[in-house]
Amino acid sequence: LFLGSWRSTLIITVSIPLSVLSSIIMLSALGETINIMTLGGLALAVGILVDDATVAIENINFHLESGKDVEPAILDGAQQIAIPALVSTLCICIVFVPMFFLTGVAKYLFVPLAESVVFAMLASYILSRTLIPTLAKFLLHRHDAHDHKKPSFLGRFQQGFNTRFEAVRIRYRTLLTMALLNRKKVATGFMALVIASFALAPFLGEDFFPTIDGGQIKLHIRAHSGMRIEETASLCEQIEQALRSVIPPAELGSVVSNIGVPVSGINLSYSNSAPVGTSDADLLISLKPDHKPTADYVRTLRERLPLQFAGVTFAFLPADIVGQILNFGLPAPIDIQIAGNNLDANHQYAIKLFDKLKHVPGLVDLRIQQAFDVPALRVDVNRSRAQDLGLSERDIANSMLVTLSGTSQATPNFWLNPKNGVSYSLVAQTPQYQLDSIQALENIPITSTSPNVAPQVLRAVATVSRGVASAVSSHYNVQPLVDIYGAVQDRDLGGVGADITQILAETKSDVPKGTVVTPRGQMETMKSSFTGLFGGLAFAIVLVYLLIVVNFQSWLDPFIIITALPAALAGIVWMLFLTHTTLSVPALTGAIMCMGVATANSILVVSFARERMTHGREALTAAIEAGFGRFRPVLMTALAMIIGMVPMALGLGEGGEQNAPLGRAVIGGLSFATIATLFFVPLVFCLVHGRSSRSHAHVRHGGVSTSEVPGE
């Protein structure tokens, strides 16, 4: 559409898949895989890959239209943009350097994305210096721009577009001239608008990662402590019927119930729902394709289920693999740990803190993980009586263990089958139906390892009483631990975390002595990741500035170039605000990338203006010619990048929400940065170099300005 030549378009198009394939080869050499992050990086790179090839072809066409032959046009066009294109490419690549210094889960997610973009960009620049000029030599002709044949329908359409585009370009030159003639007012207004835009930042909210709609729901239920597993299974059936009344049959795929504690310790270690007994269960719900938003069903179920099943605790756990990874195996994104030696005092403080946290807006699925009211039978041994009978505490414990859990716990026995060579465990255990009362428990036979001691029954040496106990013992660094778990709904994690931090500060005086209260989970991970990314954003700007200083051999021109970056940040804030997108790790990644792309376009304008000044133009004229001459390539590359980000920004498909903030940040930042590149950067160039020119003129007049010369 812009170039008006299918040959030029073909040359540009060829470089894109070659750059992507080059990046895939390098990723494979580093041991990376094709996943949502590397594919996201390649999708991110496609829009930028157009940049190098487009600028090269557009410059060659510019020289062809001026009447040069093909080969001189290629050589002059390639030479003119060699250094600016190299600096632009390096600026885009160098902004990803801070990502390699990230820590935790953010590092493993975004380093592959950064690698895919950097490798594709370097390959694109190499191709723009080698393959693109070679293809131009064979495909472009001098008469392309002067073809007088009757144009086709597409040709007429393109001519009409060019006519309208030239009218827009002329209108742009008029607006730019007016802005440069009133540069102080325009600069003041522009900077005021940018600064005012940052006032929207506190209203964005903060999330570690966007919530992904994977079409799966994981519901954890906890009934009354001590409920038998048969009763829990019956409760799960009732809850499943309630689920089916909320989710239409056309959208419900399957419901799988996992009840109780996993049999194997290995399975328990890999479980992220933290079950503690037979009263716990997990319901795994899968939705069919084309279902309604999963969050709507979760919101409805959170309201209805507690009303229908009083006394049952419900919690919706992360069902997708990304959410489980971000929680580091915890069953909730928010975990407040109360660690100290006085477990009873910690439990009482946890109850008080729980009552306050219930009033935090957006904090849902709040629960104390440890259950302290599980029914238990306490066996108190009369040691003096047992000693008189020749029994020790160990004899009594082993006898009860054999009766209740089997001989495999105390004296394991195996039988080797000589036919197949397999060893089989031999276990003797009292049938459970014979132990259905305390009286039956008191009749457990107690034996000793000594043959001279007569067998006794349990009631002869101990008394059995009812009581309660902890269902699970949790420790952190040896100290007993109480966990308060929670999740977030209809609010950002940063806002909920700020309220939690405030409540913890208010209740600090109630914390038992020797106890430490620590918020963990995604709250802390988000803080550390944001600190790294904000530092990376500042570091990226510094790196870009120093890189341009080295290449331009000047401190002022790089400053002029990066004056477009505040506008890019303002555009990111506006886009996130208008699309109701919270600030997250992907959004900050998009902001970092936007710094490189925005700088690349500014380099084209400033380098062209510097070239005009070397030909004797004044700063004002050079700035106008630079903006007018680079209007097409700047607009082409910006639009190519923005259009390339649209599918990602829409968040289409399963899991597309994860990278949507990245695409939106790039679109918003690049839109504002393009406006700044076309108006504000020439304005700053005119201000800086206009003053510099006046300073040189002042020196040439011997330190006396013309207005001070007598007689003038």
Side-chain angles (χ1 to χ4, degrees), residues 170-253:
I170 293 173
R171 178 62 178 165
Y172 158 73
R173 183 171 60 183
T174 304
L175 293 175
L176 178 62
T177 304
M178 293 173 59
L180 294 182
L181 293 176
N182 300 276
R183 43 187 175 269
K184 291 186 178 180
K185 295 180 180 179
V186 174
T188 303
F190 186 84
M191 289 187 292
L193 178 63
V194 169
I195 294 172
S197 299
F198 292 119
L200 298 174
F203 300 99
L204 296 180
E206 297 177 351
D207 275 316
F208 187 32
F209 269 79
T211 303
I212 297 175
D213 189 352
Q216 293 179 322
I217 302 174
K218 187 174 184 179
L219 173 61
H220 180 76
I221 66 171
R222 176 172 293 176
H224 300 288
S225 297
M227 178 180 283
R228 290 181 62 85
I229 196 166
E230 299 90 342
E231 297 297 327
T232 308
S234 176
L235 177 63
C236 288
E237 292 180 2
Q238 300 175 37
I239 294 175
E240 183 176 339
Q241 294 301 320
L243 291 174
R244 295 182 183 276
S245 67
V246 174
I247 305 175
E251 298 186 18
L252 184 60

Side-chain angles (χ1 to χ4, degrees), residues 19 25 27 47 155 244 249 266 304 313 337 348 355 369 375 514 701 707:
S19 301
I25 292 172
L27 290 172
R244 295 182 183 276
I266 297 176
R304 294 188 182 182
T313 302
Q337 290 187 346
Q348 295 301 318
D355 292 335
Q369 166 63 12
H701 281 85
S707 59

Side-chain angles (χ1 to χ4, degrees), residues 61-306:
N61 281 331
F62 174 78
H63 287 278
L64 285 174
E65 290 173 359
S66 64
K68 295 182 180 179
D69 291 331
V70 175
E71 191 166 333
I74 293 174
L75 293 175
D76 293 344
Q79 181 183 5
Q80 190 176 23
I81 63 166
I83 299 302
L86 175 62
V87 177
S88 301
T89 303
L90 292 178
C91 285
I92 296 174
C93 293
I94 205 170
V95 296
F96 288 99
V97 170
M99 288 193 182
F100 293 90
F101 297 99
L102 291 176
T103 58
V105 68
K107 172 183 177 181
Y108 295 102
L109 284 172
F110 284 95
V111 165
L113 183 146
E115 290 174 346
S116 59
V117 175
V118 169
F119 293 145
M121 285 304 303
L122 293 176
S124 174
Y125 178 77
I126 294 173
L127 290 173
S128 70
R129 301 296 95 203
T130 55
L131 180 65
I132 299 301
T134 305
L135 293 177
K137 167 71 175 174
F138 291 102
L139 293 179
L140 298 185
H141 301 289
R142 179 179 178 181
H143 62 274
D144 276 353
H146 306 283
D147 195 355
H148 298 290
K149 294 180 180 179
K150 185 178 181 181
S152 62
F153 170 77
L154 293 177
R156 292 195 301 272
F157 176 79
Q158 203 277 331
Q159 287 179 359
F161 172 80
N162 266 343
T163 302
R164 292 177 176 84
F165 182 80
E166 285 301 318
V168 171
R169 199 157 75 118
I170 293 173
R171 178 62 178 165
Y172 158 73
R173 183 171 60 183
T174 304
L175 293 175
L176 178 62
T177 304
M178 293 173 59
L180 294 182
L181 293 176
N182 300 276
R183 43 187 175 269
K184 291 186 178 180
K185 295 180 180 179
V186 174
T188 303
F190 186 84
M191 289 187 292
L193 178 63
V194 169
I195 294 172
S197 299
F198 292 119
L200 298 174
F203 300 99
L204 296 180
E206 297 177 351
D207 275 316
F208 187 32
F209 269 79
T211 303
I212 297 175
D213 189 352
Q216 293 179 322
I217 302 174
K218 187 174 184 179
L219 173 61
H220 180 76
I221 66 171
R222 176 172 293 176
H224 300 288
S225 297
M227 178 180 283
R228 290 181 62 85
I229 196 166
E230 299 90 342
E231 297 297 327
T232 308
S234 176
L235 177 63
C236 288
E237 292 180 2
Q238 300 175 37
I239 294 175
E240 183 176 339
Q241 294 301 320
L243 291 174
R244 295 182 183 276
S245 67
V246 174
I247 305 175
E251 298 186 18
L252 184 60
S254 62
V255 180
V256 179
S257 300
N258 293 326
I259 305 171
V261 179
V263 176
S264 167
I266 297 176
N267 292 339
L268 181 61
S269 299
Y270 284 104
S271 171
N272 67 338
S273 59
V276 298
T278 55
S279 60
D280 285 88
D282 289 328
L283 273 65
L284 307 177
I285 306 153
S286 297
L287 302 180
K288 294 181 180 179
D290 301 325
H291 57 83
K292 293 181 181 178
T294 305
D296 293 345
Y297 290 129
V298 171
R299 190 181 297 107
T300 303
L301 291 172
R302 275 198 175 109
E303 296 174 356
R304 294 188 182 182
L305 291 179

